[in-house]
């Protein structure tokens, strides 16, 4: 069943023709490493996202929102479980090694989890903008990803993220139609989250990006960002909010929305786990892992 | 699912069955928010449909009482039924009984969930087959709760797939 390729060239032809790589295949080490790093980043981000979400369970306004936050937390931790399993199956690092790296501050996770959510309106901005950006990226990967086990997990993740977005839209409407205080709370949150959301798609893709060449991703970062801006710039302004970009405008000729120049320095800082809230987030995750050790020990004892 | 029409005895039967049938067809077109393409009827969420004149009452049961999708499902159901000709008002209620179990999912629903999402359904105490490769008794549970509380996570030792089971 397992397939092998005699050269990188032959492997790349297989991928270019829409071939899907399976776990037992003798894939080139470079491909294995690239797909592993990509899935590890996604798994770490789901875990960090879930832990962040969890902080808002006691603070969410009303039972319905609490249920939604609980469900999102459950969702993200569940996705992390699945993704760590798929990543570990590649044989590069075990799940424990990935977690140890993450809690030691040596793991990578998405830039948006390196910032602090200050008020409930930040959570709304995250649900409305960040979840939408994540969905745009994940849909693009899901469509044509060359690694089968990851592609199949993504179809469930994409379905569930779509459901998060409905919550985000509903919560945004509450703020958009709310009092002056609510509207200014959301504006302040938008000021904090607009640029990190645009950064989330990554810097412009390089022409030699192996993720694109090996069809792990199928669309360039800047194209996905463009897609997001075309939808969310008019939505935000339509609701009477102002993204914090004085140069953001709709081009008369092309009809497309154009952003001002993007400052990549804040994104680079998050790559090095030196974002504004990185240290606290990593520390909280590590503490949470050690605080819940007794639960894992108890479950293992029951299973034994 | 039962379909009652006792209050409609003064109306011609054809009208009764037509509205009732149209309502049921409308419900079949309402997908579960977490499984696009799988209807709430196939998932066994619809317990009762009562048509009384222009008024329709639908009783639904949740898979889990804390399910966060309940409000969205109720909204989607109300919208779908309001669009049916001859319907003047809709009441959608979640009832606490009977308790939802995975065997309420229809055979067609099970096929769609397995094919569309790689999610299996745990029926009875027998170890389930892998929803990906079909291997019997090769699943090892790795997490009691998955991304939603009605699913657990398993590793298939035959094909190596990370799969989930509704239970």
């Amino acid at each position: 069943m397992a397939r092998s390729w005699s050269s990188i060239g032959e492997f790349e032809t297989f991928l270019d023709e829409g071939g899907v790589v399976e776990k037992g295949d003798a894939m080139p080490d470079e491909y294995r490493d690239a797909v592993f790093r990509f899935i590890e980043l996604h798994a770490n981000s789901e875990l960090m996202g879930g832990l962040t979400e969890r902080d808002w369970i006691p603070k969410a306004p009303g039972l319905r929102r609490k249920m939604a936050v609980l469900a999102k937390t459950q969702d993200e931790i569940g996705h992390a479980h699945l993704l760590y399993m798929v990543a570990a199956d590649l044989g590069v690092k075990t799940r424990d090694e990935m977690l140890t790296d993450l809690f030691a501050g040596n793991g990578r996770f998405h830039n948006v989890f390196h910032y602090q959510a200050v008020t409930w309106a930040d959570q709304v901005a995250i649900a409305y903008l960040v979840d939408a950006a994540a969905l745009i990226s994940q849909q693009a990967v899901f469509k044509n990803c060359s690694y089968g086990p990851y592609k199949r997990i993504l179809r469930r993740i994409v379905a569930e993220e779509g459901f998060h977005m409905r919550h985000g839209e509903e919560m945004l409407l509450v703020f958009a139609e709310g009092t002056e205080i609510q509207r200014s709370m959301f504006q302040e949150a938008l000021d904090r989250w607009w640029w990190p959301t645009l950064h989330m798609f990554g810097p412009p893709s390089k022409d030699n990006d192996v993720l694109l060449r090996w069809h792990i991703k199928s669309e360039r970062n800047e194209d996905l960002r463009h897609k997001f801006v075309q939808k969310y710039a008019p939505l935000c302004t339509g609701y009477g909010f102002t993204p914090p970009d004085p140069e953001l405008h709709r081009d008369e000729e092309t009809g497309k929305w154009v952003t001002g120049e993007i400052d990549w320095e804040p994104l680079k800082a998050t790559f090095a786990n030196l974002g504004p809230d990185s240290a606290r987030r990593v520390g909280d995750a590590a503490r949470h892992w050690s605080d819940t050790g007794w639960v894992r020990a108890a479950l293992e004892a029951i299973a034994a | 699912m039962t379909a009652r029409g006792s209050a409609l005895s003064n109306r011609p039967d054809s009208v009764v069955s037509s509205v009732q049938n149209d309502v049921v067809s409308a419900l079949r077109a309402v997908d579960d928010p977490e499984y696009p393409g799988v209807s709430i009827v196939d998932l066994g969420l619809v317990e009762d449909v009562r048509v009384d004149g222009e008024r329709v009452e639908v009783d639904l049961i949740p898979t889990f009482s804390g399910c966060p999708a309940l409000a969205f499902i109720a909204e989607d159901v109300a919208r779908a039924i309001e669009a049916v000709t001859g319907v003047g008002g809709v009441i959608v209620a979640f009832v606490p009984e009977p308790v939802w179990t995975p065997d309420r999912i229809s055979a067609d629903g099970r096929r769609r969930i397995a094919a569309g999402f790689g999610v299996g359904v745990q029926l009875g105490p027998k170890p389930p087959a892998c929803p990906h490769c079909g291997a019997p008794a090769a699943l090892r549970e790795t997490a009691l709760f998955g991304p939603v509380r009605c699913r657990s996570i398993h590793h298939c030792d035959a094909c190596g797939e990370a799969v989930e089971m509704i239970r």
Side-chain angles (χ1 to χ4, degrees):
Chain A
M1 277 268 286
R3 293 160 298 182
S4 60
W5 294 269
S6 58
S7 67
I8 283 266
E10 198 185 298
F11 180 67
E12 288 185 343
T13 307
F14 169 78
L15 297 181
D16 287 342
E17 287 168 354
V20 174
V21 181
E22 291 298 337
K23 185 190 145 194
D25 292 339
M27 62 195 96
D29 285 345
E30 297 85 344
Y31 177 86
R32 184 186 296 276
D33 284 342
V35 85
F36 169 76
R37 277 197 305 272
F38 197 73
I39 301 172
E40 184 191 29
L41 170 70
H42 189 175
N44 285 344
S45 302
E46 293 277 358
L47 177 56
M48 297 304 283
L51 292 175
T52 314
E53 200 73 48
R54 172 182 166 273
D55 292 346
W56 285 91
I57 298 171
K59 295 185 266 186
L63 184 59
R64 200 169 156 215
R65 300 288 181 235
K66 275 189 208 303
M67 275 165 69
V69 178
L70 259 166
K72 266 181 83 174
T73 307
Q74 176 91 50
D75 223 39
E76 280 155 22
I77 302 298
H79 293 162
H81 261 299
L82 288 161
L83 292 163
Y84 279 123
M85 207 190 303
V86 173
D89 274 347
L90 282 158
V92 179
K93 280 192 213 169
T94 64
R95 193 181 80 151
D96 280 347
E97 286 168 338
M98 289 183 258
L99 292 174
T100 303
D101 283 351
L102 178 65
F103 300 144
N106 299 324
R108 276 187 57 189
F109 52 96
H110 281 316
N111 73 305
V112 287
F113 303 119
H114 292 264
Y115 295 87
Q116 200 187 347
V118 183
T119 70
W120 174 248
D122 290 60
Q123 283 302 102
V124 175
I126 292 167
Y128 188 65
L129 299 173
V130 173
D131 285 0
L135 186 62
I136 289 173
S137 301
Q138 286 163 2
Q139 272 169 338
V141 176
F142 165 62
K143 236 176 1 188
N144 288 309
C145 182
S146 62
Y147 189 59
Y150 182 50
K151 185 183 160 86
R152 290 189 292 272
I153 298 292
L154 279 175
R155 72 183 156 181
R156 298 206 285 275
I157 294 183
V158 164
E160 279 145 15
E161 290 286 342
F163 169 65
H164 293 178
M165 271 189 59
R166 258 183 99 163
H167 274 293
E169 283 161 11
E170 196 187 271
M171 293 192 293
L172 173 82
L173 280 178
V174 170
F175 277 82
E177 294 169 350
T179 61
E180 272 315 301
I181 293 173
Q182 282 174 309
R183 291 186 56 85
S184 69
M185 268 176 84
F186 186 81
Q187 179 61 52
E188 284 165 24
L190 181 64
D191 292 344
R192 287 189 280 271
W193 291 93
W194 177 257
W195 289 114
T197 307
L198 296 193
H199 286 150
M200 197 184 173
F201 295 96
S205 292
K206 297 196 175 86
D207 288 332
N208 61 356
D209 187 344
V210 292
L211 293 173
L212 288 169
R213 193 165 86 219
W214 292 334
H215 303 277
I216 296 165
K217 296 201 303 197
S218 56
E219 285 182 57
R220 301 175 72 95
N221 295 346
E222 62 274 26
D223 293 345
L224 293 170
R225 181 167 29 248
H226 179 76
K227 213 179 269 184
F228 173 84
V229 171
Q230 299 318 304
K231 180 165 177 200
Y232 283 89
L235 279 173
C236 288
T237 54
Y239 285 123
F241 298 113
T242 313
D245 176 359
E247 291 168 53
L248 179 72
H249 67 281
R250 193 167 160 273
D251 187 279
E252 293 288 329
E253 270 174 39
T254 60
K256 302 287 184 200
W257 285 81
V258 184
T259 69
E261 201 177 326
I262 299 175
D263 174 11
W264 297 108
E265 291 309 313
L267 179 64
K268 284 184 194 152
T270 67
F271 284 169
N273 286 342
L274 295 172
D277 204 28
S278 311
R280 189 188 65 87
R281 294 270 183 136
V282 171
D284 273 5
R287 193 161 43 251
H288 180 264
W289 182 252
S290 71
D291 284 354
T292 53
W294 69 273
V295 179
R296 291 186 296 279
L299 284 173
E300 274 165 28
I302 292 166
Chain B
M1 185 171 62
T2 61
R4 289 182 224 142
S6 55
L8 298 169
S9 50
N10 57 345
R11 287 183 154 214
D13 278 345
S14 59
V15 176
V16 175
S17 58
S18 146
V19 173
Q20 183 85 41
N21 287 345
D22 290 351
V23 166
V24 172
S25 312
L27 286 171
R28 289 201 168 277
V30 176
D31 285 352
D32 183 276
E34 288 206 332
Y35 302 103
V38 183
S39 108
I40 57 164
V41 174
D42 276 324
L43 284 179
L45 304 188
V46 180
E47 173 59 18
D48 198 11
V49 178
R50 297 178 295 276
V51 177
D52 180 0
E54 292 192 332
R55 247 173 53 128
V56 178
E57 290 180 20
V58 180
D59 288 348
L60 303 173
I61 55 172
T63 54
F64 265 59
S65 56
C67 172
L70 299 187
F72 290 140
I73 295 172
E75 213 176 281
D76 291 348
V77 165
R79 197 177 308 134
I81 295 176
E82 276 159 9
V84 173
T85 315
V87 170
V90 185
I91 296 176
V92 182
F94 278 95
V95 293
E97 280 181 337
V99 172
W100 183 89
T101 49
D103 55 17
R104 290 181 65 103
I105 305 177
S106 70
D108 193 40
R110 289 201 299 272
R111 266 193 304 275
R112 282 169 191 267
I113 293 168
F117 302 92
V119 171
V121 180
Q122 170 101 50
L123 291 173
K126 201 175 123 228
C130 170
H132 184 60
C133 72
L139 295 184
R140 182 162 43 85
E141 184 174 276
T142 59
L144 203 50
F145 294 100
V148 284
R149 272 159 284 177
C150 46
R151 299 205 304 251
S152 50
I153 298 181
H154 305 252
H155 188 270
C156 174
D157 288 335
C159 68
E161 190 81 351
V163 300
E164 292 173 65
M165 298 298 293
I166 296 178
R167 41 159 194 142

